[in-house]
Each structure stands twice: as C-alpha cells, then as structure tokens.
Amino acid sequence: GENVEQHPSTLSVQEGDSAVIKCTYSDSASNYFPWYKQELGKGPQLIIDIRSNVGEKKDQRIAVTLNKTAKHFSLHITETQPEDSAVYFCAASTSPGGYQKVTFGTGTKLQVIP
Amino acid sequence: GAVVSQHPSRVICKSGTSVKIECRSLDFQATTMFWYRQFPKKSLMLMATSNEGSKATYEQGVEKDKFLINHASLTLSTLTVTSAHPEDSSFYICSARDLGSEQFFGPGTRLTVL
C-alpha cells in the first residue's frame, strides 16, 4: 500500500519567516495530494491541494510543489503568523477499486514564535 | 467549503457499554464517508470507508464487529463502538466526499472509556 513520510515532525520559526514541510510518497498511482491543518481538539481542515498534472500551486501565503518523478511534494508558508501554529498533515490519494483512499503523513507541529 | 458535523463532540462511557457517533454532511450529499481514528500526537488512521446503502469496507486490523458502521443515507453515517474498553479511548474523526476528490472532515469526537 501507499506510504507517506513527512518531515520535520516539529518546526519552530520566527513570525514573518517561511516554513517548509516536505513529504514523500511511495505509490506512483497517487494522483491527488491535499494538505491539512489541524488545530488542537479539532478535525483537519484542507488548506491547499494539488493534482498530479500540476507542478505547483499557490494560494496567497501558501504554496505547494509536486515532483512526480521523485515522488515528493512540499508545503511552503511564507510570512508566517502566530495563527499558523498548528499540526500540518500531508496526504496522498489514489482511487483503488473505485473509491478514494487517502494516506496521511505523520504530521508536523508548526510553532510560530511572535 | 462544505460542512460536516459530528455528534457528540465528547463522550465518556463505562467499560462494556456501546457508544454511537454520528457524522452528517450538512450541505451536500456524501457518496462516500470515511472514519478515522487518531491517537494523541499521531496521524489519522483510516478505519473504514462506507458508501451509502452498502456495507463498509474495513481496513486491515479493524474489527468490523466492534466498530459498526451504518451509512443509511447520503447525509448520515454512524459509527458504533460496541462493548467499549479503555483501549478504545481515542479521537474519532469522520470525513465525507461528494463526487469530487476533496474530503471534508468533521470536528471529531473524543471518546473516553472508563
């Protein structure tokens, strides 16, 4: 099955600096890569996603890049703010047997220091 | 984005009792719903996938007789933890998907079994 690795597990940055989280996946059939932000005691919220036919996608301060050949994708947050502090999960998705199965990375706890 | 609700948000029960958790898609029809389990500081583990009107597909290692899933309508899925024990204590999260690829997550249910 799919295996998604995520690094780093924790990340501390100064407010205003950039944060980068990296993930690798194993199944070349994966074609959809969402990123989720999870605040304490809450469910994950989708913040950005990218499909395998696109190499980069940007939404204001958040961007995601995908390298299909190397099977890795990254989340970039620029001009970080304290409210960006949360746990971030990458995920990879395939559609085996006609339904979509999402495999999550292990999570990165981001702390933005004011 | 679409809204998924879960009820209850927190539940405490005695060992040996059964607990039912509801997951509802509030403003869209969910052709597929997913149930996840999350341990503290860990990633989300997919338990099962359910399509409306059909039996759920359970992931390897998940006991289908212990975690009963019913997806009776396009807006409601329920997870019943039968004969709960302390090791079943966890954060349970559902998600719902319409015909697109994106999953919308509920806020989660914290289950504590005494």
Side-chain angles (χ1 to χ4, degrees):
Chain A
E2 174 68 277
N3 181 46
V4 178
E5 295 189 356
Q6 182 171 348
H7 299 280
S9 57
T10 59
L11 179 60
S12 292
V13 299
Q14 290 291 136
E15 182 178 358
D17 288 349
S18 296
V20 180
I21 303 170
K22 298 182 178 182
C23 289
T24 61
Y25 62 99
S26 61
D27 190 345
S28 57
S30 290
N31 53 17
Y32 175 64
F33 305 91
W35 285 87
Y36 296 92
K37 176 182 181 182
Q38 186 177 28
E39 297 178 343
L40 190 63
K42 298 182 179 180
Q45 294 292 313
L46 178 72
I47 56 172
I48 196 168
D49 57 13
I50 190 168
R51 297 180 188 274
S52 59
N53 59 347
V54 175
E56 184 175 355
K57 184 177 179 180
K58 188 173 182 180
D59 182 5
Q60 298 183 338
R61 297 188 295 110
I62 297 173
V64 58
T65 59
L66 171 65
N67 184 326
K68 286 173 55 181
T69 303
K71 296 197 190 72
H72 64 69
F73 54 115
S74 301
L75 177 71
H76 303 251
I77 305 174
T78 59
E79 301 173 25
T80 54
Q81 301 167 3
E83 50 265 39
D84 294 330
S85 297
V87 178
Y88 291 81
F89 291 98
C90 64
S93 175
T94 60
S95 298
Y99 70 91
Q100 178 201 56
K101 178 176 178 177
V102 176
T103 302
F104 285 83
T106 48
T108 296
K109 184 176 182 179
L110 173 64
Q111 181 183 19
V112 179
I113 303 168
Chain B
V3 179
V4 175
S5 69
Q6 271 183 251
H7 178 79
S9 57
R10 292 177 179 269
V11 57
I12 301 173
C13 68
K14 292 182 179 180
S15 185
T17 60
S18 294
V19 174
K20 179 184 284 188
I21 303 170
E22 291 187 351
C23 177
R24 293 181 184 271
S25 58
L26 298 185
D27 50 3
F28 68 102
Q29 293 185 326
T31 53
T32 307
M33 286 187 167
F34 305 84
W35 286 96
Y36 295 85
R37 184 174 181 177
Q38 187 177 33
F39 292 101
K41 299 183 180 181
K42 297 293 184 182
S43 188
L44 285 77
M45 289 174 38
L46 180 65
M47 299 175 65
T49 302
S50 72
N51 292 291
E52 183 262 340
S54 61
K55 290 183 178 181
T57 301
Y58 289 80
E59 294 299 301
Q60 192 172 13
V62 178
E63 300 176 59
K64 62 180 181 180
D65 293 332
K66 179 164 186 66
F67 299 100
L68 300 178
I69 292 172
N70 183 283
H71 192 164
S73 76
L74 283 172
T75 59
L76 173 65
S77 177
T78 60
L79 167 68
T80 301
V81 183
T82 63
S83 186
H85 291 284
E87 56 265 30
D88 298 325
S89 298
S90 193
F91 193 50
Y92 292 88
I93 306 172
C94 73
S95 70
R97 181 176 73 96
D98 57 12
L99 296 177
S101 297
E102 182 179 352
Q103 288 186 30
F104 301 96
F105 285 83
T109 296
R110 173 76 59 194
L111 170 63
T112 302
V113 184
L114 302 177

